[in-house]
Amino acid sequence: MAVTSEISTREAEVLTLVGEHLSNAEIGARLFISVRTVESHVSSLLRKLDMPDRRALALHAAATRAASPRPAPALPKPLTSFIGRTRERAELTELIKTQRQVTAVGPGGVGKTRLALAVVADVAADFADGVWFVDLVPITSPDMCVVAGTVAMALGIGEQPGRGFDRAVLAALADRNALLVLDNCEHVRDGVAPFVEQLLAACPGMSVLATSRARLMVPFERVYTVPPMSLAGDGDSDAVALFMDRAAAGGWPPNHAMRDQVATFCERLDGVALAIELAAARWTTLGLDGLAAGLDDQLRMLSGGARADDRHRSVRAALDWSHALLEPEDRMLLRRVSVFMTSFPVEAAADAAGLDKGAVAAGLARLVEQSLLVVTDTPTGTQFRALETIRQYGLEQLEAAGEVTDARAGHLRWCLAEAGDLSVVRADWRARFDAAADDFRAALGWAGEQPDRRSDAYGLARLLAPLMFTRHLTGESQWRYEQAAYLADDPAAAAELLRHAAAAAGCQGNGDDMYRLHHAAAEFAQRAGDSVGASIELATAAASAYRFWGKFEHIPAREDLVALIAEARRLATAPTSAAPADIASAVAAGADTVPASAAPADIARSGAVTVDPARAEAARAEAARAAIALAEAIVLANPFGAPQGVTDVPAPEVVSSAERAVELTHGTRDPFAESAALDALAAAQSRAGELRAAAATARRRIRLLSTTPDNPVGTHELIDALGQATEFGLGAGDLAGARRWGRQLAEHPMLAEVGHTATSRLLVADALAGNVDDVLAHSARFLEAWHREERPARSALGAAVAGVRMIHGLRDDYDAEREWTGVLQQLGTPATDADGYQAVFDALLMLHHGQPEDALERTELTPAEARTRVSGAWLPWYLALHAEAAALTGNTTTSGDLAQARAEVTGNPVATAIIDRSEALSAKDRARLLSTATTFDAAGCIYQSARTRILAGGADANEGAAMLTTLGLSPMTALVHL
């Protein structure tokens, strides 16, 4: 994208993401800046580019991007020049142009990566979507999912709830024409091979260049063996040119007359690039004679050695020799820092080495001077890194010296301190976390295998789990919470960790795991002698199977859940051995909250470590009663309409049982338990037709959660509450509120990678309001994410899709309307939805095109029939549109039906205004009809306001038509003018 001199680099990044129709929250999550900062950048861009609004800004960004021939390749920039290899460069270039999968193989240090970087820079123009480079060195597991996750992070693909990284990558690259470079595959071939095979099969436009010490053994692989640096031509060979260039970098270029001697020396190094570069780094201190002498000693030492095979002999000789020339303290430092997976600061090296920070800083500088470490300046400070070949060599030396335990222990000590410091999010948080994440994983992997390090492993896993959640790596967060639970010595602490793991699973849309983890938490609570805590977990599991039934692949049977509640009741009255000391331990351990089964949330927040036993026991019993009452209100009455079975409990009784659960949970002072009860109450109120009360309850729920921590439990509840507030706001005709909550949901960072889920509620609100530009922008994000996730058949998305389809119908864009009709058919929406949102959106479209007879037939249910067949939020809209269709056709609705319809829509100002307009049409009362426009304007329902003016006729009709044109809609067919 061309950027003017007035636009900063950060503004250019924001502009690019605006062009991709990302919301401010998504942009903030992608760039790891605050939403407020994004808003500031967008405002600045609007001013600098003289754009009227965000839509124009997005169009400008997209047009500028389209004018560029292709994206720049995302390649590392080597610090030194590329020398020679003209023939190899041409051969490998030709292979990449003609073969979809090429593997450049050769021994460590031969120069595979540098050759690959040079070649892909040459061929980048041949790939419309560019070149992507992925370094696999940090990976320690050969699992395909780990490989796919590393590729996803390199490509900027975040984790998606309920979906593995492998599927996410394949979906994202399905229609791309790009080259993927996988560097250093040898240690993870078992994971790379199946990943590459799936990628080539699923993504016909993708090509792969891999570098490895051994071939991948996948179909269609074309192997190219990277030879050592050319030795032909004696003093003019590539090997000599490389030595002369690198030696000159030290400030003392070799005399040209020495080229023949250098050629002889390079031959003894077998032309291996790494060996030559290491030797050249010593040129200024040893000269050529000293280099040759040192190499002679090392070669004799390694002659016939069992540790080095023929392929690695030269590199190992150079490394052994270079290592032998170091001072003893520098040798120790080099092998100690080899435990770091990626870059590390001086402080980390000091921990691993067990030395003074000043001494370590000086030693690292000497290792950099000898080309054994690379130093870089980063936003978080100076970082050091060992090239992988040298790091592996250092690990061997560490093993031989018998220092593995000490170095790993120091590494673990630093990881614990760094993870603890990262628990406080600051401006540089993401950069610091990303730089250390692989080391956290490696340290935890080692500690978990050491029986005497179990406590440290638990501590690191417990720290890492919320850090992963903050980084929006929700799947790994769930895994780390589980890992910490099974490492914990205290079963009560394990139960609390599993509760967080269950919430993380819920954030991913994985109801089956959520249900399993609540069961596991109950088991650990029982091991702790906490039968009351176990009771709460079982009751929560039962309630979750109804509250979040749409997240389950295997929905638990109703009879199983009823039995679960019975067991929860039994446990709630069983003797418990939990003591107040357990609460003190939990607080002292730094848990986010003391388990609800142990004490009220206010005890945990106070930081108290002593609790009156009678008070604690009473609070625990109260929490159990509340959890069981909530489970009974949900499972036995089913206000959510879950498929486990609809009961015949009268609506008032459903509301009453939910109100009792709210009262009990409020007494526990646990905001998450109270939020769940308010969720049930709002659903019950909706079922009873009390839509205004349901919307108010949903808003109350959001207020309750506004000050809770951003942990998995709080985030899971808040996302659900925002969705509920949007839905019930629509039912109550509060379009402005529904759009506000829907926008918060669409911009939530946790949903940045699942745009179809994030935008679905907002799309419905904007479609009903007639906000065409917003619908078009957010529907693009919806469709892209839905296709990326391989078009899941989720009925919960149906209302959004039907709303988008209607907007395209109102615009007379028939191709787009057919496309979205196809999406709706693929969602597998249940037949019951035909009398809900589908009927409403169909009727709106039919009325717009002057087809009131069709609209009347589409909404043919009487108010009494609709009361039982149309879901609560859609009932007012359905009845109102039926009344208008009847008025426009001259079909006189019985006064009883109209009165009942008016009673049903009470509290929904938009639906009430539509009925008022219908009566005005029947009475030919133009003044009354125009008065409804004021109501529509106040409600933010632009489309209905324009429709009123057109139906009024005359000059008002011209004004209404102009409003539709401004919205981007086609002219409305009005069969009646007053």
Side-chain angles (χ1 to χ4, degrees):
M1 174 179 293
V3 179
T4 70
S5 59
E6 295 181 318
I7 297 178
S8 68
T9 301
R10 178 63 85 190
E11 287 173 339
E13 293 174 336
V14 171
L15 180 59
T16 298
L17 298 178
V18 169
E20 296 176 9
H21 300 292
L22 269 65
S23 67
N24 287 348
E26 288 179 292
I27 294 172
R30 184 77 61 87
L31 301 179
F32 213 75
I33 57 180
S34 70
V35 174
R36 187 178 296 277
T37 301
V38 177
E39 292 172 349
S40 175
H41 287 314
V42 170
S43 298
S44 176
L45 287 166
L46 289 171
R47 185 179 67 258
K48 291 180 178 180
L49 295 175
D50 193 25
M51 294 289 167
D53 51 35
R54 188 186 183 96
R55 183 167 182 262
L57 193 65
L59 291 173
H60 171 80
T64 307
R65 183 177 55 201
S68 302
R70 54 189 54 83
L75 302 174
K77 300 188 184 313
L79 300 177
T80 55
S81 58
F82 184 78
I83 303 296
R85 293 203 182 272
T86 302
R87 177 179 59 83
E88 296 95 322
R89 197 167 178 169
E91 291 173 347
L92 189 53
T93 296
E94 184 61 23
L95 280 178
I96 292 173
K97 289 182 176 181
T98 58
Q99 307 292 324
R100 290 190 62 205
Q101 203 276 302
V102 179
T103 304
V105 301
V110 77
K112 301 184 292 296
T113 299
R114 288 303 303 272
L115 176 61
L117 288 172
V119 169
V120 297
D122 293 340
V123 303
D126 295 336
F127 296 89
D129 293 313
V131 179
W132 295 90
F133 182 92
V134 183
D135 185 3
L136 300 180
V137 164
I139 299 179
T140 57
S141 168
D143 185 87
M144 186 184 76
C145 292
V146 177
V147 172
T150 302
V151 174
M153 294 295 284
L155 270 61
I157 301 171
E159 186 174 35
Q160 300 169 14
R163 184 182 194 197
F165 271 125
D166 52 342
R167 290 175 56 213
V169 171
L170 296 182
L173 299 181
D175 58 351
R176 297 295 183 94
N177 172 232
L179 175 65
L180 180 65
V181 182
L182 301 176
D183 194 37
N184 295 300
C185 299
E186 55 272 359
H187 62 303
V188 287
R189 281 193 304 160
D190 290 344
V192 172
F195 171 77
V196 169
E197 189 169 352
Q198 289 187 19
L199 177 70
L200 295 178
C203 308
M206 291 296 299
S207 297
V208 175
L209 170 62
T211 72
S212 178
R213 297 182 188 182
R215 62 180 301 176
L216 302 182
M217 300 298 290
V218 295
F220 313 113
E221 180 184 31
R222 181 63 182 269
V223 176
Y224 180 78
T225 301
V226 179
M229 299 293 289
S230 169
L231 298 169
D234 297 326
D236 294 322
S237 69
D238 287 347
V240 171
L242 178 65
F243 182 93
M244 300 292 278
D245 179 84
R246 301 300 191 256
W252 179 26
N255 191 302
H256 185 79
M258 302 178 64
R259 295 178 74 92
D260 288 342
Q261 293 174 270
V262 171
T264 300
F265 176 75
C266 289
E267 286 180 7
R268 300 182 67 185
L269 291 175
D270 291 339
V272 174
L274 176 60
I276 293 171
E277 294 203 15
L278 287 171
R282 287 286 187 173
W283 158 257
T284 55
T285 55
L286 294 178
L288 196 57
D289 289 342
L291 290 173
L295 183 58
D296 280 341
D297 290 339
Q298 295 302 318
L299 286 173
R300 283 196 297 271
M301 178 185 71
L302 290 175
S303 178
R307 292 191 308 162
D309 60 25
D310 291 339
R311 291 187 309 153
H312 296 165
R313 189 182 302 275
S314 297
V315 175
R316 189 176 298 279
L319 288 170
D320 276 335
W321 156 73
S322 187
H323 180 261
L325 292 176
L326 295 173
E327 294 298 325
E329 59 269 26
D330 290 347
R331 293 183 206 168
M332 187 271 283
L333 182 59
L334 179 63
R335 60 181 179 260
R336 289 292 182 96
V337 299
S338 66
V339 297
F340 289 95
M341 300 299 298
T342 53
S343 300
F344 55 88
V346 172
E347 295 82 2
D351 271 331
L355 296 174
D356 173 76
K357 179 180 173 181
V360 168
L364 293 174
R366 290 191 294 270
L367 293 174
V368 170
E369 291 172 1
Q370 304 305 323
S371 297
L372 291 169
L373 292 179
V374 175
V375 61
T376 55
D377 288 327
T378 72
T380 59
T382 303
Q383 296 277 318
F384 298 85
R385 180 176 63 87
L387 298 177
E388 180 59 15
T389 303
I390 296 174
R391 194 183 77 83
Q392 293 292 339
Y393 178 87
L395 287 174
E396 291 183 2
Q397 297 298 315
L398 191 68
E399 182 75 34
E403 298 171 352
V404 171
T405 299
D406 290 343
R408 291 288 184 192
H411 179 240
L412 174 62
R413 191 164 49 248
W414 176 79
C415 286
L416 281 165
E418 182 72 359
D421 194 47
L422 283 168
S423 296
V424 179
V425 177
R426 302 185 181 90
D428 62 346
W429 187 91
R430 177 170 178 169
R432 286 180 59 199
F433 175 82
D434 287 354
D438 285 320
D439 280 298
F440 291 158
R441 295 178 178 113
L444 183 52
W446 176 77
E449 295 176 353
Q450 313 299 315
D452 59 337
R453 299 283 174 180
R454 183 183 179 92
S455 176
D456 287 334
Y458 162 70
L460 185 53
R462 188 176 62 80
L463 287 169
L464 193 52
L467 293 179
M468 289 293 177
F469 190 80
T470 300
R471 186 61 176 82
H472 306 314
L473 299 175
T474 318
E476 185 168 358
S477 173
Q478 175 190 331
W479 175 28
R480 297 302 179 186
Y481 273 117
E482 290 190 61
Q483 185 180 25
Y486 287 97
L487 285 168
D489 291 329
D490 179 8
E496 176 67 5
L497 288 163
L498 289 170
R499 180 169 175 257
H500 281 286
C507 290
Q508 282 204 108
N510 190 336
D512 299 78
D513 265 8
M514 184 168 50
Y515 187 71
R516 170 183 63 82
L517 289 164
H518 278 303
H519 273 271
E523 292 177 7
F524 273 97
Q526 286 188 279
R527 291 183 199 175
D530 182 10
S531 58
V532 172
S535 168
I536 293 173
E537 294 299 334
L538 293 181
T540 303
S544 296
Y546 272 73
R547 287 184 67 202
F548 307 111
W549 64 266
K551 298 182 178 183
F552 281 76
E553 287 190 20
H554 307 288
I555 299 176
R558 184 174 186 274
E559 53 269 25
D560 293 338
L561 300 176
V562 171
L564 209 60
I565 295 174
E567 176 65 8
R569 283 197 214 97
R570 185 190 68 79
L571 289 171
T573 58
T576 179
S577 61
D582 297 331
I583 303 169
S585 299
V587 175
D592 291 339
T593 61
V594 174
S597 58
D602 62 329
I603 295 176
R605 286 193 294 270
S606 72
V609 294
T610 58
V611 180
D612 176 70
R615 182 188 171 197
E617 193 61 33
R620 289 156 50 76
E622 183 180 0
R625 283 195 301 272
I628 293 169
L630 176 58
E632 290 174 339
I634 292 175
V635 174
L636 302 183
N638 191 12
F640 297 97
Q644 285 95 329
V646 178
T647 69
D648 57 359
V649 179
E653 291 185 22
V654 178
V655 172
S656 177
S657 62
E659 286 175 337
R660 178 173 178 271
V662 170
E663 181 183 355
L664 289 172
T665 54
H666 180 72
T668 68
R669 300 185 186 180
D670 181 345
F672 305 132
E674 187 175 355
S675 170
L678 288 171
D679 182 19
L681 176 58
Q685 289 167 331
S686 174
R687 175 181 166 185
E690 302 170 9
L691 295 178
R692 194 169 182 177
T697 300
R699 294 194 298 271
R700 175 182 167 189
R701 187 180 173 202
I702 291 176
R703 289 194 299 271
L704 174 70
L705 295 168
S706 62
T707 58
T708 55
D710 292 331
N711 58 26
V713 179
T715 299
H716 186 217
E717 283 292 327
L718 179 60
I719 288 174
D720 183 70
L722 288 171
Q724 185 186 61
T726 305
E727 178 182 352
F728 293 148
L730 292 174
D734 179 13
L735 294 182
R739 293 183 67 230
R740 181 168 65 253
W741 306 128
R743 191 177 300 109
Q744 286 189 29
L745 190 64
E747 294 180 351
H748 197 289
M750 185 63 65
L751 302 178
E753 297 294 335
V754 282
H756 51 308
T757 301
T759 61
S760 60
R761 306 282 189 170
L762 182 58
L763 281 169
V764 177
D766 279 328
L768 285 173
N771 298 316
V772 179
D773 287 347
D774 289 335
V775 169
L776 296 180
H778 289 113
S779 65
R781 177 186 170 195
F782 178 103
L783 199 59
E784 185 275 332
W786 185 68
H787 279 291
R788 187 176 64 221
E789 200 174 338
E790 300 175 6
R791 302 181 295 280
R794 294 180 185 166
S795 60
L797 303 175
V801 174
V804 176
R805 179 183 67 171
M806 180 200 70
I807 290 294
H808 286 298
L810 295 177
R811 299 176 73 240
D812 287 347
D813 187 344
Y814 301 117
D815 289 338
E817 185 181 4
R818 279 191 293 271
E819 179 185 12
W820 285 89
T821 298
V823 174
L824 188 61
Q825 291 169 346
Q826 292 181 63
L827 290 180
T829 53
T832 53
D833 289 350
D835 292 326
Y837 61 80
Q838 290 191 40
V840 168
F841 286 125
D842 287 348
L844 283 166
L845 186 57
M846 292 166 180
L847 290 171
H848 181 87
H849 287 307
Q851 300 165 337
E853 295 87 356
D854 295 335
L856 186 62
E857 183 179 354
R858 190 69 181 87
T859 56
E860 63 182 354
L861 301 177
T862 66
E865 292 171 331
R867 186 72 186 80
T868 60
R869 292 173 56 178
V870 179
S871 60
W874 293 102
L875 181 63
W877 299 89
Y878 183 100
L879 296 175
L881 293 173
H882 174 84
E884 181 156 315
L888 289 171
T889 59
N891 186 326
T892 305
T893 303
T894 66
S895 59
D897 281 352
L898 191 58
Q900 187 177 353
R902 182 177 289 280
E904 292 285 359
V905 305
T906 299
N908 183 319
V910 179
T912 298
I914 293 175
I915 290 182
D916 287 343
R917 185 172 65 194
S918 303
E919 292 181 339
L921 285 168
S922 297
K924 300 188 182 304
D925 186 341
R926 189 171 185 275
R928 183 181 178 191
L929 184 145
L930 280 172
S931 70
T932 64
T934 303
T935 303
F936 293 131
D937 288 335
C941 198
I942 309 170
Y943 172 76
Q944 291 298 341
S945 177
R947 179 172 173 77
T948 293
R949 288 170 167 82
I950 293 172
L951 290 172
D956 292 298
N958 294 333
E959 181 184 354
M963 292 172 67
L964 291 184
T965 300
T966 301
L967 289 174
L969 299 179
S970 67
M972 189 184 91
T973 302
L975 301 180
V976 176
H977 290 293
L978 298 188

